[in-house]
Amino acid sequence: MSGAVLRVNNLQTQFQTRGGVLKAVDGVSFEVGRGRILGLVGESGSGKSVTGYSILGLIEPPGKVAGGEVLLNGKDITRLKGDAMRQVRGAQIAMVFQDPMMTLNPVLKIGTQMIAAVRAHDKVSRKVARSRARDALAKVGIPSPEERLDAYPHQLSGGMRQRVAIAIALLHSPAVIIADEPTTALDVSIQGQILAEVRRLADETGTAFVWVTHDLAVVSSLADDICVMYAGRVVESGPAADVIASPRHPYTAGLLASVPAEHEPGTKLPQVPGSTPSLANLPQGCAFAPRCAKAGPACTTTPPVQHFEDGRTALCHYPIEPVSCQPLSLTSTTYRSAS
Amino acid sequence: MIGFLIQRVLQALMVVIAMSIIVFLGVYAIGNPIDVMIDPASDQALREALIQRYGFDRPLFEQYFIFMNNMLHGDLGESFIYRLPVLNLILSRLPATLELALTAMLIATCLGIPLGLWAGYKPDSLSAKAIMGFSVLGFSVPSFWVGLLLIMVFAVELGWLPSGGRGPTTEVLGMNLSITSLEGWSYILLPAFNLALFKLGLLIRLTRAGTVEVMSSDYVRFARAQGLSEGKVVSLHVLKNISIPIVTVFGLELGSTLAFAVVTETVFNWPGMGKLIIDSITVLDRPVMVAYLILVVFLFVMINLVVDLIYGQLDPRIRVKAAS
């Protein structure tokens, strides 16, 4: 896939703390093509959100991007400073955050916030900016957008607010939108609507999405590709359907097994034992080894990246053998495009 | 909105009535003013006549109702000392205090908010720490001492500014003001700065605290992710969100500055209301004390009413609550 819009190469993000350097993101690589949706999956603390912020250059001290590249249409943006980086944000790479209750300023009208977002990159009159804002609201399926422009955030529901946030992200038709768990705070029914909307937008506008989430069900129904992160590293990647159907990394397999959807009622739900290790105190070698049923003597050394067919990878000494069975579906709905 | 206004005005009225009773009782408790007013050598007949003339022989509640009735007719009594209607006496001193207090608030706001914004925007910088250190001095060093120091440095040593008094005034809209002339400004500058210092420290800390909080909020992060410039983030998102506590403190401080600029007015010999009330207390000039306190209550109530109305303009969520 040389046509990648966004390519992340060996990204390193570190936080300087009193206890030493924390490697929140440790050599993460992935790429997203035009109109594709990449699911970046992991537990809390796996570094998936920090990856999102690092791409946009929004890491604040004491954190910093310590190495690697973020190539946007082939151009490295990690070295951009100040105003040059500001011009990328919102215009070429936009972001949507987790909690729609917090991402809109409660004391400013929706219109005011959207007009500011338009005028951050295009020197147009307020009137033009307002009509563009209205069009963006209509595009994400918000009824009577003109009236919504004069509303305050608290007058809209959570789902509506998240649509507004997505509309703001879409204002400048960015090449990439990074979505940081945008449906986590929403009802399942609203979540479904938003996912369908996002899939449609990716297909129609060609915008690439990096969908950061801990919810495998969401990823399985939405994403084209998956990256599973654990303790700051990508442990498994590949086409979403393949990874879900036949995980190669024990951690992915453990996560999939603990999704309740396919589980037989009345029996105990399997779970991944233990919890995410602290970044300050990572185990030697494979960070997942202490929780892993398949761990062997080799796991005290850093695992190699194993490449498989169809461009799949796993960071493991003892990858699981592929199974050939019915593709597994975690939810009854799928938003993945036919392509 | 109208309902909210009526509710607030009624509340304000209750406060004024309650305060008038407390003030009246309090002043009554400090004793009979006749003993102070007349020559100790004068005879009992003169004493009796005066007591009767001022109505001190009547029951307390009757005195209160007479006082309230007079007040509603705009008559707050006559000063025992100056032999002038109290209202005129206080109002003649009001412009001096008003211009001093407003100038002080202006200095505090124009310096305090930008300094606080900077200190909150770059909380770890050396300049921010210097600003915070200055703010601690601002509200912990006693103002009479700072006043004396200002006089020592700027009036005595450097000789740039006069050491006290009010300077020439011109009449504007029936008020004598000194800020209309350059020379008048030279007189007001030191006392106004002295008075501003405490509020400056307060506003810096308040603005900084709000800025730090807003800067770490999700909506500021979202605004940055949209590519808004830092200037726009501060002017659009930060200023409006921190304005509610600032307006609250501004209102309270404006009230207390108007009412209790006593120390600064004394140090700089500024002929304002503060000096009038101190003089009246020393000579037990009862009508002036009562009228002054009632006026202060009225002032505070009015300022808070305005502050409440501004809240609604600043935060739409408060507006919704008030309407329902």
Side-chain angles (χ1 to χ4, degrees):
Chain A
M1 255 198 287
S2 54
V5 182
L6 179 76
R7 186 188 211 110
V8 175
N9 269 340
N10 196 24
L11 185 69
Q12 311 259 355
T13 304
Q14 302 176 343
F15 288 84
Q16 191 76 48
T17 65
R18 264 178 222 179
V21 175
L22 297 188
K23 293 177 178 171
V25 176
D26 189 10
V28 164
S29 303
F30 58 79
E31 57 183 40
V32 208
R34 211 180 115 77
R36 308 275 292 178
I37 299 177
L38 172 81
L40 201 57
V41 189
E43 287 171 283
S44 306
S46 61
K48 54 192 195 307
S49 296
V50 176
T51 305
Y53 290 129
S54 303
I55 292 170
L56 269 181
L58 285 175
I59 298 290
E60 284 176 32
K64 65 167 199 265
V65 175
E69 299 174 309
V70 175
L71 300 169
L72 179 69
N73 291 318
K75 201 170 140 252
D76 186 11
I77 57 169
T78 53
R79 286 176 225 311
L80 294 182
K81 295 241 182 302
D83 203 53
M85 189 64 217
R86 184 190 71 71
Q87 284 174 6
V88 171
R89 281 187 213 125
Q92 295 178 61
I93 306 181
M95 192 152 181
V96 180
F97 290 83
Q98 177 172 1
D99 190 349
M101 305 294 165
M102 314 292 287
T103 49
L104 296 171
N105 190 331
V107 304
L108 297 176
K109 286 178 184 171
I110 304 289
T112 313
Q113 303 187 47
M114 292 189 77
I115 288 168
V118 172
R119 282 158 55 103
H121 297 288
D122 294 324
K123 299 294 158 232
V124 293
S125 70
R126 280 177 183 284
K127 213 176 148 193
V128 173
R130 193 181 162 89
S131 79
R132 275 178 58 181
R134 189 179 51 232
D135 295 345
L137 289 182
K139 214 190 316 184
V140 294
I142 290 182
S144 46
E146 180 65 37
E147 285 150 46
R148 295 291 176 270
L149 284 177
D150 287 323
Y152 286 95
H154 70 268
Q155 294 166 323
L156 303 183
S157 67
M160 277 297 163
R161 282 190 234 185
Q162 200 58 291
R163 279 172 198 260
V164 170
I166 294 173
I168 290 176
L170 283 172
L171 276 172
H172 297 281
S173 313
V176 184
I177 292 180
I178 296 165
D180 184 11
E181 310 207 31
T183 56
T184 307
L186 304 178
D187 294 348
V188 181
S189 57
I190 305 292
Q191 169 175 303
Q193 291 174 15
I194 299 235
L195 295 181
E197 207 71 63
V198 164
R199 183 73 255 180
R200 185 179 62 78
L201 288 168
D203 292 342
E204 284 177 8
T205 61
T207 303
F209 281 83
V210 176
W211 200 268
V212 177
T213 183
H214 63 262
D215 190 342
L216 271 170
V218 165
V219 168
S220 71
S221 59
L222 175 74
D224 300 302
D225 302 290
I226 286 187
C227 275
V228 181
M229 285 188 71
Y230 188 80
R233 294 184 187 151
V234 174
V235 293
E236 175 157 13
S237 68
D242 298 352
V243 172
I244 302 277
S246 164
R248 307 298 295 268
H249 194 282
Y251 177 60
T252 318
L255 282 183
L256 283 166
S258 52
V259 173
E262 283 293 297
H263 186 67
E264 191 181 326
T267 55
K268 199 166 182 239
L269 189 67
Q271 44 181 312
V272 184
S275 58
T276 325
S278 153
L279 286 174
N281 194 15
L282 280 183
Q284 275 266 295
C286 176
F288 183 62
R291 300 173 69 187
C292 182
K294 292 194 68 176
C299 295
T300 48
T301 58
T302 308
V305 181
Q306 311 246 18
H307 292 268
F308 308 111
E309 73 290 351
D310 305 333
R312 291 185 60 180
T313 67
L315 192 73
C316 188
H317 289 290
Y318 310 107
I320 302 170
E321 287 308 309
V323 288
S324 51
C325 63
Q326 290 279 87
L328 174 76
S329 171
L330 295 176
T331 57
S332 48
T333 0
T334 179
Y335 308 102
R336 210 175 303 127
S337 55
S339 57
Chain B
M1 187 65 198
I2 302 276
F4 172 70
L5 201 66
I6 291 172
Q7 186 195 340
R8 290 318 308 253
V9 169
L10 285 179
Q11 270 178 21
L13 214 62
M14 300 296 279
V15 172
V16 173
I17 290 172
M19 272 308 295
S20 72
I21 294 173
I22 294 170
V23 167
F24 197 80
L25 287 179
V27 173
Y28 183 87
I30 61 178
N32 190 343
I34 301 294
D35 299 331
V36 195
M37 283 164 66
I38 58 172
D39 184 356
S42 47
D43 60 10
Q44 190 63 19
L46 179 65
R47 211 178 121 82
E48 300 272 303
L50 268 175
I51 287 178
Q52 202 159 27
R53 186 177 142 203
Y54 286 108
F56 293 133
D57 54 343
R58 295 171 195 238
L60 183 58
F61 70 89
E62 214 179 307
Q63 289 186 38
Y64 175 72
F65 282 118
I66 291 168
F67 164 75
M68 281 306 276
N69 187 37
N70 288 341
M71 191 173 78
L72 290 177
H73 289 91
D75 175 15
L76 285 168
E78 192 176 80
S79 162
F80 294 158
I81 309 298
Y82 297 93
R83 303 274 165 211
L84 286 168
V86 171
L87 197 61
N88 294 3
L89 191 64
I90 293 176
L91 288 184
S92 73
R93 300 290 194 96
L94 185 65
T97 297
L98 203 62
E99 68 176 357
L100 182 64
L102 288 178
T103 310
M105 289 310 289
L106 194 74
I107 294 174
T109 313
C110 292
L111 285 178
I113 292 179
L115 286 177
L117 275 176
W118 177 255
Y121 182 72
K122 290 240 180 246
D124 295 322
S125 67
L126 206 64
S127 50
K129 284 177 181 144
I131 292 170
M132 294 319 285
F134 168 75
S135 79
V136 172
L137 286 182
F139 64 78
S140 56
V141 177
S143 75
F144 76 89
W145 185 75
V146 175
L148 292 175
L149 216 64
L150 287 174
I151 292 174
M152 281 289 290
V153 174
F154 291 99
V156 180
E157 293 295 327
L158 297 171
W160 292 349
L161 297 166
S163 66
R166 197 173 172 211
T169 58
T170 35
E171 195 173 311
V172 183
L173 301 169
M175 290 193 296
N176 286 316
L177 294 179
S178 64
I179 50 170
T180 44
S181 70
L182 207 60
E183 203 193 339
W185 269 100
S186 76
Y187 280 90
I188 203 171
L189 215 52
L190 282 187
F193 184 73
N194 185 206
L195 205 55
L197 212 56
F198 177 85
K199 293 153 234 314
L200 183 58
L202 203 63
L203 276 176
I204 287 176
R205 297 190 84 78
L206 204 64
T207 310
R208 177 189 178 271
T211 307
V212 167
E213 195 189 316
V214 174
M215 285 313 288
S216 64
S217 70
D218 263 8
Y219 52 82
V220 163
R221 211 167 214 195
F222 188 49
R224 282 177 168 159
Q226 291 161 26
L228 260 64
S229 63
E230 290 300 287
K232 193 78 189 167
V233 167
V234 171
S235 65
L236 189 70
H237 290 280
V238 179
L239 268 183
K240 186 134 189 211
N241 281 279
I242 62 171
S243 52
I244 284 196
I246 291 178
V247 167
T248 311
V249 169
F250 185 94
L252 288 175
E253 282 299 313
L254 180 62
S256 68
T257 311
L258 282 170
F260 311 114
V262 181
V263 174
T264 298
E265 288 186 354
T266 311
V267 170
F268 288 91
N269 199 25
W270 189 265
M273 295 194 300
K275 254 181 83 58
L276 177 70
I277 183 72
I278 286 294
D279 294 347
S280 307
I281 290 171
T282 359
V283 296
L284 275 185
D285 194 349
R286 225 158 97 157
V288 177
M289 285 153 65
V290 172
Y292 181 79
L293 289 175
I294 301 256
L295 192 76
V296 166
V297 170
F298 182 72
L299 218 63
F300 266 93
V301 165
M302 285 309 290
I303 289 174
N304 278 313
L305 186 64
V306 173
V307 165
D308 277 345
L309 292 179
I310 295 176
Y311 279 171
Q313 287 306 307
L314 290 174
D315 194 334
R317 291 166 297 184
I318 294 176
R319 226 177 297 160
V320 172
K321 254 178 250 153
S324 61

